[in-house]
Amino acid sequence: MSIVDNKKAFFDYFIEERYEAGIVLQGWEVKAIRAGKAQIKEAYVIIRNGEIFLFGAHISALTSTSTHVHPETTRTRKLLLNAAEIAKLIGKVERSGYTLMPLNLHYSRGRVKCEIGLAKGKKQHDKRETEKNRDSQRQIQAAMKQHRR
């Protein structure tokens, strides 16, 4: 079940491979995510010292959290993958010019997971093509809807 999607990632990048990663979260962050107070539109994934981190994801604190906790909404959160996947991703990012993008946050067996994608950037003409295809699909759907009436 998806919590929040990063639609901008699909518009700006070609997603070639997808990986499901766990996220190291604090208790208040899990509660806020369950309440729908998260967004990953401006987030990205960075590699530092052989570890993978989610940077720029915004999780707003709930007003009902305790007063002694001072939450940091956009802190860097560690992503959990197995060592072979991390090594493969590091190789692709450093050698092949790929980038890592968070695609969505979702639940998997009661835990919050982050789906990350190995992506290549789109050029401007690719974005226009994507927009054109989306518009034509929308027109086809509208025509089908009219035809059914």
Side-chain angles (χ1 to χ4, degrees):
M1 185 174 124
S2 182
I3 303 165
V4 63
D5 291 318
N6 188 356
K7 294 177 184 165
K8 191 159 177 55
F10 293 99
F11 183 73
D12 290 339
Y13 297 93
F14 291 115
I15 308 299
E16 301 202 359
E17 292 181 38
R18 294 171 178 234
Y19 297 91
E20 184 179 71
I23 312 174
V24 177
L25 295 171
Q26 296 175 349
W28 69 268
E29 292 173 324
V30 176
K31 286 183 177 182
I33 288 171
R34 289 192 185 279
K37 300 274 188 182
Q39 69 99 354
I40 56 172
K41 188 184 298 183
E42 296 160 6
Y44 54 96
V45 177
I46 55 175
I47 298 172
R48 203 181 292 153
N49 298 332
E51 295 178 325
I52 298 179
F53 294 93
L54 179 64
F55 190 82
H58 188 87
I59 300 175
S60 301
L62 297 173
T63 56
S64 61
T65 54
S66 61
T67 56
H68 65 278
V69 175
H70 299 291
E72 188 180 338
T73 58
T74 57
R75 74 178 183 89
T76 303
R77 296 164 180 92
K78 186 175 178 181
L79 295 177
L80 306 171
L81 290 161
N82 68 38
E85 288 176 328
I86 291 174
K88 181 179 177 183
L89 289 174
I90 289 172
K92 292 257 185 171
V93 169
E94 288 179 353
R95 287 187 217 102
S96 305
Y98 285 95
T99 187
L100 294 171
M101 290 296 299
L103 303 178
N104 69 21
L105 294 179
H106 62 277
Y107 298 118
S108 178
R109 289 186 237 129
R111 306 218 190 277
V112 178
K113 302 286 184 176
C114 178
E115 185 175 22
I116 59 175
L118 194 61
K120 268 215 188 280
K122 286 185 180 179
K123 304 282 190 258
Q124 189 63 40
H125 65 274
D126 294 327
K127 291 181 188 178
R128 282 194 285 267
E129 178 114 2
T130 302
E131 191 73 30
K132 201 181 301 179
N133 290 341
R134 191 179 308 135
D135 287 344
S136 65
Q137 286 296 324
R138 198 175 296 132
Q139 289 174 351
I140 290 169
Q141 291 298 323
M144 296 286 280
K145 198 173 192 179
Q146 284 290 342
H147 182 64
R148 278 188 242 145
R149 290 183 185 173

